[in-house]
Amino acid sequence: MDGLRIRVRGQVQGVGFRPFIWQLARRFGITGDVLNDPEGVLIHACGPDLDAFVAAIASDAPPLARVDAVETAPHIFDAKPSTFEITASQGSGAETRVTPDAATCPDCLADIRGSDPRRSGYAFTNCTHCGPRFTILHGLPYDRAKTTMGVFGMCDDCAAEYADPADRRFHAQPVACAVCGPQLCLDHGEDVVARAAERLLAGEILAIKGLGGFHLCCDATNAEAIATLRTRKHRPTKPLALMGRWEEIEAHASPSPEERTALSSSAAPIVLLSHQGTLPDALAPGQDRLGWMLPYTPLHHLLLDTVRCPLVMTSGNLSGEPQVIGNDEAVEKLGGFADGILCHNRDIARRLDDSVMQVTKYGPMILRRARGMVPDTLRLPPGFEEAPQVVAFGAHLKSAICLVKNGQALLSHHLGDLDDPLTWDEFVKADADYAALFDHHPEVFACDLHPGYRSSQHAAARAGDALVEVQHHHAHLASCLAENDWPLDGGPVAGIILDGLGLGSDGTIWGGEVLLGDYAGFTRAAHLQPAPLPGGDMASREPWRNLLARLDQAGLSVVADTMLADAPRDVLRQAIAKGVNAPLSSSAGRLFDAFAALLGFSGAQSFEGEAAMQLEAMALRAGSAVGSPYPFAETDGVIDPAPMWDAALADLHKGTGKEKMALRFHAGLAQAFATTAKQLLEDDHAKAVALSGGCFQNALLLEMTIKALGDAPILLHTKVPANDGGLALGQALIAAALDSGDR
């Protein structure tokens, strides 16, 4: 009997794809079978309307599915099948993708708010359209026995739902109910959610177990509770994430349609929204935006329905350490922060922070790629079809790993800063975890050029002679090219790469660059005038040090003496003169710090980017009246900020508002780099302009740079972080391109 063998590739396991195919077969009168295997979903089908059946596979796919390809080939049946069956998974290995964790769907939310005693108020309700996936997974194929739900035997009712292809819980691996599934615990006793809500409203701090780890939680309207949390966690100013229902969000923000779409997506990320309500300033001192997320588990929904106020939901960890995921670990590490621990007995297989994003005028921007967004993949651009298996290890801060296999790039979740020993342990575990989970056997290894990065040292230890060292800002450029599907032979691009620090190919520290290049190589077309970093790493923590260096460099030492009268200027100047712990750097990030210090930011930053974030917030308060951008000079590819300092000091002398000064600084920096990049286009050296690096998380700088570029073709980050969290993708594509060139 003639029929079709249909291969479906993509995000098609753990999303209800087989019951969808079963229902589709009934609709079109198709007989045959469907199963999961290491490559995705495999269908054998015969019937009168096969063309329409195949077309509907992609067009009508389930909500969490992502179909990359539907491939057909003739298939001969020994005898015509009389029914359409869902058969058992076959094979081992991993050629397909795992579905990210997904926020509670409307149907399950109705269940927990309904009257069915099995699911009413049950904090672990889920179906094939929502619930935990990656955070509970031990191995592929994605079956219950290979998840942390394997220890929970299904009751008869859950087993019946699980076995019924017409039920939305068919083969939902985490399926459970109050009779047979995981249970909550809060210092023992009943009515856990009601008691937790009562304690939060009384001003207590609770540690609450989520999908990828614990949060520290308190009432976001209670300034005293927020102050207590900050004191206990030693987190004086870093913004705290908030969780609320639409009622709470709309009382304190006015999200745009695009921001609403981001908030309500299945990833349920933290989204930065303009602060318009009356919540305590202590939630984000010096900032005009707050990070909001909707409740994304049934427990969160039940808790928010009860407290009816916004809650702080910040990562449950010791400062600098990874998020806590285990119950015993929570008692040990969070007991000193929290007045109580709301936990449960479903284990977390891997820790995932909440994803963070913002929406700019030019689309979404991912700031931290984690829960709900991983392990999704990106298709490699044209020309990389024969790319070998590659693993790239990213940077030292905001670390992430990237795997290339079968024409796809898998960028790992945010792993953190590798200075912390426990984060380093997690990095090493993640390397082994991803390799095992996705059956990855790299032929090429890539890392940052900096030999002091722990990620680079790890790569060297694994790679032998298959190591490719990639310059930091070249990797940023390639990351932006990759996510914009720029072909391998697409030609050179002008990359404006602005960030904190990265080792340059000349041995100095770069960070304010215009590169001309592609995946295979680059030249440094222009850069910010280098300045010393007095005290080395201390210059990244104390902005006044950068102000001293920049003012001195601009011939304004007398001004520096007045503005920094209490600082140890002479000691630092001597160190700079002798070249002791004062490396030269073209860092745009440190220029932001210096200007923030000029406008009054004093002391040390309590978290990375604090001064620059305050400068952006200050500029946004100036409105749209920029006036003239501060001038920068450019000579032979060196962009000199000296004229900017003269103009800014004149503004200070005239009493110009600091908000307007901050705005003019942003505009001047954007104009200076855009002018250089546009010239490369006009001279026909470049075909487009790519914007990358952590400074472009600054939505105002992004907007002003795009405006200054005029009608130039522009490549932006929307799926991958512009910061070092996206660096591994660029490293991997550069390594693959070089390998292609070798062949």
Side-chain angles (χ1 to χ4, degrees), residues 81 97 164 218 292 340 407 519 635 689:
R97 293 204 295 278
D164 182 359
C218 71
W292 285 94
Y519 301 104
T635 305
V689 179

Side-chain angles (χ1 to χ4, degrees), residues 186-187 195-207 216-219 222 225-226 228-229 232 311 337-341:
L186 175 63
D187 303 332
R195 288 191 295 113
E198 182 180 352
R199 294 176 66 171
L200 289 169
L201 293 174
E204 291 192 21
I205 297 165
L206 297 182
L216 289 170
C217 177
C218 71
D219 179 353
N222 187 329
I226 295 166
T228 300
L229 174 59
R232 290 180 182 177
L311 296 174
F337 299 158
D339 300 303
I341 298 176

Side-chain angles (χ1 to χ4, degrees), residues 134 137-138 349-350 413 428-438:
F134 194 45
L137 183 66
H138 287 311
R350 56 184 53 78
H413 59 286
V428 175
K429 289 177 186 175
D431 181 23
D433 179 34
Y434 276 94
L437 193 59
F438 297 99

Side-chain angles (χ1 to χ4, degrees), residues 448-451 469-475 501-511 513-516 521-525 527 584 586:
D448 193 272
L449 187 63
H450 199 307
E469 296 175 321
V470 180
Q471 198 280 321
H472 191 93
H473 301 90
H474 186 202
L501 304 172
L503 181 63
S505 53
D506 62 357
T508 66
I509 306 299
W510 294 3
E513 314 302 318
V514 178
L515 304 183
L516 178 63
F522 73 95
T523 58
R524 194 185 190 194
H527 59 86
L584 287 175
S586 60

Side-chain angles (χ1 to χ4, degrees), residues 132 424 581:
W424 169 244
N581 199 23

Side-chain angles (χ1 to χ4, degrees), residues 408-643:
Q408 302 280 333
L410 190 158
L411 184 62
S412 80
H413 59 286
H414 166 84
L415 292 165
D417 299 347
L418 301 184
D419 284 322
D420 178 74
L422 294 179
T423 302
W424 169 244
D425 289 344
E426 288 298 313
F427 179 89
V428 175
K429 289 177 186 175
D431 181 23
D433 179 34
Y434 276 94
L437 193 59
F438 297 99
D439 195 22
H440 193 256
H441 304 282
E443 303 166 50
V444 182
F445 299 76
C447 69
D448 193 272
L449 187 63
H450 199 307
Y453 284 0
R454 299 187 81 169
S455 54
S456 299
Q457 295 164 1
H458 179 72
R462 281 201 59 192
D465 59 2
L467 182 65
V468 176
E469 296 175 321
V470 180
Q471 198 280 321
H472 191 93
H473 301 90
H474 186 202
H476 274 305
L477 171 62
S479 175
C480 190
L481 295 179
E483 79 154 279
N484 283 278
D485 210 31
W486 192 261
L488 177 60
D489 61 356
V493 167
I496 302 178
I497 316 297
L498 306 180
D499 66 356
L501 304 172
L503 181 63
S505 53
D506 62 357
T508 66
I509 306 299
W510 294 3
E513 314 302 318
V514 178
L515 304 183
L516 178 63
D518 55 14
Y519 301 104
F522 73 95
T523 58
R524 194 185 190 194
H527 59 86
L528 193 65
Q529 172 72 51
L533 297 177
D537 288 344
M538 287 299 295
S540 298
R541 293 191 284 272
E542 297 181 345
W544 67 266
R545 293 172 180 262
N546 301 288
L547 178 60
L548 173 68
R550 284 292 181 183
L551 290 177
D552 281 359
Q553 184 185 64
L556 299 167
S557 297
V558 174
V559 177
D561 289 340
T562 301
M563 297 193 71
L564 302 170
D566 297 330
R569 303 180 312 284
D570 292 342
V571 173
L572 290 187
R573 283 168 173 160
Q574 290 172 17
I576 291 171
K578 294 178 181 179
V580 176
N581 199 23
L584 287 175
S585 173
S586 60
S587 169
R590 300 295 77 78
L591 187 65
F592 266 92
D593 290 349
F595 201 84
L598 180 78
L599 297 190
F601 188 97
S602 59
Q605 302 186 82
S606 69
F607 63 94
E608 185 190 8
E610 180 179 9
M613 288 171 63
Q614 288 197 15
L615 191 65
E616 180 190 8
M618 194 181 295
L620 289 169
R621 291 195 287 271
S624 58
V626 180
S628 58
Y630 282 141
F632 285 68
E634 192 273 327
T635 305
D636 296 330
V638 178
I639 299 170
D640 187 358

Side-chain angles (χ1 to χ4, degrees), residues 215 235 239-244 249 259 262-265 267-273 289-296 311-315 323 352-359 365-373:
H215 290 105
R235 187 175 179 173
L240 300 169
L242 305 179
M243 180 178 284
I249 293 176
E259 288 167 338
L263 283 162
S264 57
S265 71
I270 297 169
V271 179
L272 302 185
L273 303 177
R289 295 186 297 173
L290 294 173
W292 285 94
M293 56 182 157
L294 288 167
Y296 57 82
L311 296 174
V312 169
M313 284 281 182
T314 189
S315 294
Q323 191 174 18
L352 292 181
D353 291 292
D354 294 311
S355 293
V356 183
M357 66 177 293
Q358 62 181 336
V359 177
M365 178 185 289
I366 307 302
L367 306 180
R368 183 169 71 196
R369 195 169 181 273
R371 176 198 48 78
M373 296 183 179

